[in-house]
Amino acid sequence: MPKKGGKKPKVIETPEEKALREETERLKDEEDRKKKEETMRTLLTENMVQEAQFAKLNIAKIQNQWRKLMRLAKVESLRKDLEIMSQNHEREVDMKDAIIQMLDRDIDEAEEQYQTALRSHLQNVDALIDLYNSKVRQLEGEFEAEIRQLQDDFQTERTEIVTKHASARGELIEIIELVEAQFKESEAEAKQDFDSTCEELKNRNLEDRNVLKLMLEAQIEQLENHFANAAETYDQTTRQRTQQFRNLTAKDRNSAQTIETQLKRLQRLQDTLAHWRMKIASNVKECEERNRLMREEKEQISRHFQELKARMNKMRDEQGARLRDLGIQSRKCVMTLDSQKGRAETILRYAELNRKLETDREKVLPFHPFSIADEDNSVPEDLKVEASAMSSYALGHDGKPVEEWNYLDIFFKRYNKVLLDKYAIIKEETRLQQENNDLRNILKQYLDGISVNSDVINEPNPLFVLNNRTNIQHAPVLSDAHITIQSANNVVNQHAMMAGR
């Protein structure tokens, strides 16, 4: 056995083993080279990602700095544009004020003319109303007098009719009482006869009954059994018919009593009808004469009514003719006012066309203060006062005239202050609302981070971090960029003014 720790004997390799060893070494070198290339590729990829992050960060910084510079330049440009627009706005306001003053004077003149026409119209209407009221009062007086006369006649006739009715009613009551007394007497006599007849028949029936009783007792005893059997059979077969017979018998008895009562009542009604026919025949003669008198009175009232109606129609026709004339005159007045309105609109259109040819000074100062008194000392005093009154220039706190384009300075200052406060409040409200929403989101994320439930597991969780990334939901960044819009007319006017300079 060889000794331990001794040198290994040199192994003699065959060509196949040598080729295998070289192939193994070559494969090993190839694997090492691939590992190095993979490591280099990974390193380059990481460097590229890092370089892309740095580039993105630097681009953001550059864009931020460039945005600041652009914002400063844009603010300066907007300030210049704002000054130019303010000047143009002041010029436009001055021109509009002058137009408003001119239209105000025209409106005052038209209002004065309208008030004059209205006063004249109201005077005419008042005269018509007074005339109408006088006629109505006269007709009302005549109508009330006729009504009083008719009421007196009606009251007299009513008293007569009531008196006759009372007397006739007394007579009828006396007749009714007499008839009732006669009926009671005849009823007492009939009742006495009936009682005596009943007593006689009762005695006779008692005698006959005693005789028949003796004769029929034997037959009754024989027939009782037969009748009992037959009765049972008959009751069983005809019980329902017996009950119907009894009901019909009772109904027949009641109907006979009702018929007898109705016959007596009918006789009384016939007697009463004959009496009333006699009374009606006597009253017809009296009413015919009264109706003839009332027809004559009615014809007389109808003739008087036709006369009054003719007079009223005539007056109505006259007033209608006057009203038509008034309407024609009013129509002419309206047409005249429309023509004047058309002329005024034509003047305003010509003024709009002439405004394009005005100079800058005329645009700023379209009207000059009245200076008649300074130019000519021969002007009368009343004309000077009228010219001063027509001047549209206001006075300040110190008593000096205020320039026309400065009339609304105080109003604009107050309005701008209120408008700025309004926009500041709106902006502050928006900021606080956004801040409140951010705090709510942060609080929700914190609560989701310290609690575990189904909602937290299903929704994005800030505790879950993968590849150094979290899924925290940041609020979107809102841009405060404001797009400035300019009117094309203002831009053209600015370029024209710059070109003129």
Side-chain angles (χ1 to χ4, degrees), residues 423-433:
Y423 281 110
I425 292 170
I426 293 173
K427 189 173 181 181
E428 183 66 18
E429 181 182 4
T430 305
R431 187 187 66 78
L432 293 175
Q433 186 69 26

Side-chain angles (χ1 to χ4, degrees), residues 358-375:
E358 291 179 353
T359 60
D360 294 339
R361 181 174 178 78
E362 289 175 346
K363 290 180 179 179
V364 177
L365 298 174
F367 300 101
H368 297 283
F370 290 96
S371 60
I372 300 176
D374 298 335
E375 295 177 358

Side-chain angles (χ1 to χ4, degrees), residues 68-117:
K68 290 180 180 178
L69 296 175
M70 292 282 289
R71 188 179 291 112
L72 293 175
K74 189 64 175 180
V75 167
E76 188 66 25
S77 176
L78 290 175
R79 286 177 180 173
K80 293 180 181 179
D81 296 339
L82 183 62
E83 293 177 357
I84 296 172
M85 292 170 66
S86 176
Q87 295 176 2
N88 294 333
H89 175 68
E90 290 177 356
R91 272 198 303 275
E92 293 290 336
V93 169
D94 296 335
M95 294 170 63
K96 298 298 182 182
D97 289 339
I99 294 171
I100 290 170
Q101 291 176 2
M102 181 177 65
L103 294 176
D104 192 10
R105 287 195 295 272
D106 295 339
I107 290 171
D108 292 337
E109 293 177 359
E111 183 66 22
E112 185 178 358
Q113 294 177 1
Y114 170 72
Q115 292 296 334
T116 302

Side-chain angles (χ1 to χ4, degrees), residues 129-146:
I129 291 172
D130 294 337
L131 180 60
Y132 175 74
N133 290 331
S134 63
K135 293 294 184 181
V136 169
R137 284 193 294 271
Q138 182 180 358
L139 292 174
E140 285 180 353
E142 295 176 357
F143 179 71
E144 289 177 357
E146 293 177 358

Side-chain angles (χ1 to χ4, degrees), residues 4-240:
K4 294 181 179 179
K7 294 182 179 179
K8 293 181 180 181
K10 187 175 181 181
V11 179
I12 299 172
E13 296 179 350
T14 61
E16 291 80 1
E17 293 178 350
K18 185 177 181 180
L20 180 61
R21 183 176 56 78
E22 291 177 354
E23 182 67 21
T24 304
E25 292 177 355
R26 187 176 61 78
L27 292 173
K28 187 176 181 180
D29 294 337
E30 185 68 21
E31 290 178 357
D32 293 338
R33 185 178 62 79
K34 289 183 179 180
K35 289 181 180 180
K36 290 181 180 179
E37 289 179 356
E38 186 69 24
T39 304
M40 291 297 294
R41 188 179 296 106
T42 304
L43 182 62
L44 289 174
T45 303
E46 293 177 355
N47 291 334
M48 288 177 64
V49 171
Q50 187 175 7
E51 186 67 23
Q53 292 177 354
F54 290 156
K56 185 177 180 180
L57 180 62
N58 292 329
I59 289 171
K61 291 180 180 180
I62 292 170
Q63 289 180 353
N64 189 18
Q65 294 295 329
W66 179 249
R67 192 180 296 110
K68 290 180 180 178
L69 296 175
M70 292 282 289
R71 188 179 291 112
L72 293 175
K74 189 64 175 180
V75 167
E76 188 66 25
S77 176
L78 290 175
R79 286 177 180 173
K80 293 180 181 179
D81 296 339
L82 183 62
E83 293 177 357
I84 296 172
M85 292 170 66
S86 176
Q87 295 176 2
N88 294 333
H89 175 68
E90 290 177 356
R91 272 198 303 275
E92 293 290 336
V93 169
D94 296 335
M95 294 170 63
K96 298 298 182 182
D97 289 339
I99 294 171
I100 290 170
Q101 291 176 2
M102 181 177 65
L103 294 176
D104 192 10
R105 287 195 295 272
D106 295 339
I107 290 171
D108 292 337
E109 293 177 359
E111 183 66 22
E112 185 178 358
Q113 294 177 1
Y114 170 72
Q115 292 296 334
T116 302
L118 181 61
R119 284 194 296 272
S120 177
H121 174 67
L122 292 177
Q123 290 175 359
N124 294 330
V125 172
D126 291 337
L128 290 173
I129 291 172
D130 294 337
L131 180 60
Y132 175 74
N133 290 331
S134 63
K135 293 294 184 181
V136 169
R137 284 193 294 271
Q138 182 180 358
L139 292 174
E140 285 180 353
E142 295 176 357
F143 179 71
E144 289 177 357
E146 293 177 358
I147 287 175
R148 285 194 295 271
Q149 184 178 359
L150 290 174
Q151 288 178 350
D152 295 338
D153 296 340
F154 174 76
Q155 192 65 28
T156 303
E157 293 179 0
R158 183 177 180 277
T159 304
E160 293 177 358
I161 292 170
V162 169
T163 305
K164 292 181 179 180
H165 174 71
S167 62
R169 186 170 178 273
E171 293 177 358
L172 290 175
I173 291 171
E174 292 176 356
I175 293 169
I176 291 169
E177 291 176 353
L178 180 61
V179 170
E180 288 180 353
Q182 293 177 357
F183 177 74
K184 288 180 180 179
E185 291 177 359
S186 61
E187 186 179 4
E189 293 177 356
K191 187 175 182 181
Q192 187 176 3
D193 295 339
F194 177 75
D195 292 336
S196 62
T197 305
C198 287
E199 189 67 26
E200 292 177 358
L201 292 174
K202 184 177 181 182
N203 295 329
R204 189 181 303 168
N205 288 330
L206 286 174
E207 294 175 357
D208 295 337
R209 187 169 64 106
N210 293 325
V211 173
L212 291 174
K213 184 176 181 181
L214 296 174
M215 293 173 63
L216 295 175
E217 281 180 357
Q219 295 180 1
I220 289 171
E221 290 178 359
Q222 295 176 1
L223 295 175
E224 277 182 356
N225 296 327
H226 179 70
F227 284 163
N229 296 328
E232 290 179 1
T233 305
Y234 181 77
D235 288 339
Q236 291 177 1
T237 56
T238 61
R239 185 176 298 171
Q240 183 176 2

